[in-house]
Amino acid sequence: MYPFLRHKLMTTNFKGYVLGIIAAATYGLNPLFALPVYAHGMNPDSVLFFRYMMAIPIVGLMALLRGHSLAVDRRDILPLALMGIITGVSSLTLFQSYNYMNAGIASTILFVYPVMVAIIMAVLYRERLSRLTVGCLLASVVGIGLLSKSPEGAGGLSLTGTLLALTSGLTYAIYIVAANRPRFRRLPTLKMLFYVLIFGTLVFAVRLAGPADFTPPTCGMDWVCVVCLAVLPTAISFGCTTAAIQYIGSTPTAILGALEPVTALLVAIAVFGEKITGIESAGIVLILAAVTLVAAGNQAATVLLRIRKMFPRRR
């Protein structure tokens, strides 16, 4: 019986890490599809309104195909509404930060959220952070910092943009921590995401009815970009993030998010023909090492402990 349970646990963890990697890779595509529609005159509220609205039926259909009912208990409406508002604010502040600073730098600042998740889990839920976890956090932060080295003329730091990106990271960290609470763990991932998107859409609808101007897509390419935003960094990324949290927990999922700037860099190389520097290569190596150690989990800690014992300290 024990080998079966061990195999089941390994399979569950493997699914969680794969889902976390997919979530990180797809969320890193935000600037790729957002910046072109900005260039055509769309503002963040309009882009996100269409992004969320298009993602709702996609996620709803996926939930129905998986056999989940979309009916929800009245007690869950308020918590889901709060989660939707938090998600909407996180998306809005990130997309607004692109207007004040280079998108790569803004996205890099966003990725302090794994540290925020670890701090929240340690302070509020007494989660013990192992040396391996702390080391992986530090390695991923340093690696992301190396990736933030932008070319001359790409735009520097902006106080407003930095505050917006930090707000986005904080609200995303709160979402990751909250999604691991028992109230949400008992809900099917797609069902939870369906209502999060509905309530998140209200954030942009309220702003478009007030201070923000409604700027719809103006050409076919704009529609393609908006659809891609709805499918990849929204339906797929949010869904995989929520599922990964339920499999492996908040902190490992957040650390896997360090792969997001790597995705953005690889897209810049493949799509826009940018060249990778030695500093960026070092950043990628650090991030991949941190993610690999997190995925290896206890096995990596055991190996490192054995290596350490091979070199005992002199008394």
Side-chain angles (χ1 to χ4, degrees):
M1 189 68 177
Y2 171 75
F4 170 76
L5 291 175
R6 182 179 179 185
H7 173 73
K8 184 69 174 178
L9 180 61
M10 291 178 64
T11 302
T12 300
N13 287 343
F14 178 75
K15 289 180 180 178
Y17 292 122
V18 170
L19 289 169
I21 291 171
I22 294 174
T26 50
Y27 198 75
L29 298 175
N30 267 315
L32 176 65
F33 301 115
L35 297 182
V37 294
Y38 280 7
H40 292 168
M42 291 190 70
N43 59 37
D45 292 275
S46 298
V47 173
L48 290 169
F49 176 77
F50 282 102
R51 169 186 169 182
Y52 275 52
M53 281 293 293
M54 290 182 174
I56 291 172
I58 295 173
V59 173
L61 181 60
M62 291 169 62
L64 293 174
L65 291 176
R66 291 295 302 272
H68 300 307
S69 170
L70 295 179
V72 65
D73 193 299
R74 290 183 179 180
R75 295 173 297 178
D76 294 328
I77 293 178
L78 181 58
L80 287 171
L82 292 175
M83 289 288 277
I85 293 172
I86 289 171
T87 304
V89 170
S90 180
S91 297
L92 179 61
T93 48
L94 175 63
F95 274 50
Q96 285 180 329
S97 70
Y98 294 160
N99 288 327
Y100 293 93
M101 61 201 305
N102 176 274
I105 297 178
S107 297
T108 300
I109 294 172
L110 164 72
F111 300 131
V112 299
Y113 75 79
V115 178
M116 295 179 178
V117 169
I119 293 173
I120 292 173
M121 293 299 295
V123 173
L124 296 184
Y125 301 103
R126 306 296 182 185
E127 180 179 280
R128 182 177 175 273
L129 297 179
S130 66
R131 293 181 179 179
L132 177 63
T133 301
V134 174
C136 291
L137 279 171
L138 294 175
S140 62
V141 170
V142 172
I144 291 169
L146 294 176
L147 291 184
S148 69
K149 302 298 183 182
S150 58
E152 294 183 5
L157 288 176
S158 158
L159 177 59
T160 302
T162 300
L163 292 176
L164 287 169
L166 287 174
T167 301
S168 179
L170 177 60
T171 47
Y172 193 47
I174 293 172
Y175 173 85
I176 290 178
V177 172
N180 198 34
R181 297 301 92 202
R183 175 181 292 274
F184 296 115
R185 286 177 64 88
R186 64 181 176 79
L187 292 176
T189 300
L190 293 173
K191 181 177 180 178
M192 173 182 168
L193 180 57
F194 178 76
Y195 285 99
V196 166
L197 291 173
I198 289 178
F199 289 112
T201 305
L202 296 179
V203 174
F204 318 121
V206 169
R207 284 182 53 83
L208 289 172
D213 295 327
F214 181 69
T215 54
T218 57
C219 63
M221 185 54 65
D222 286 355
W223 284 106
V224 171
C225 288
V226 171
V227 170
C228 288
L229 283 170
V231 174
L232 295 171
T234 307
I236 293 178
S237 182
F238 285 174
C240 289
T241 297
T242 305
I245 292 167
Q246 295 176 350
Y247 279 124
I248 60 177
S250 300
T251 303
T253 301
I255 295 176
L256 289 174
L259 287 173
E260 295 169 21
V262 175
T263 302
L265 179 62
L266 294 178
V267 167
I269 295 171
V271 178
F272 302 110
E274 294 186 7
K275 294 182 179 180
I276 187 171
T277 65
I279 292 178
E280 290 171 335
S281 299
I284 290 177
V285 170
L286 274 175
I287 291 172
L288 293 179
V291 170
T292 301
L293 288 173
V294 169
N298 293 332
Q299 293 181 355
T302 301
V303 172
L304 292 175
L305 181 60
R306 289 177 180 174
I307 294 175
R308 179 185 173 188
K309 288 182 177 180
M310 292 172 63
F311 304 93
R313 295 179 179 177
R314 295 183 62 182
R315 294 184 180 275

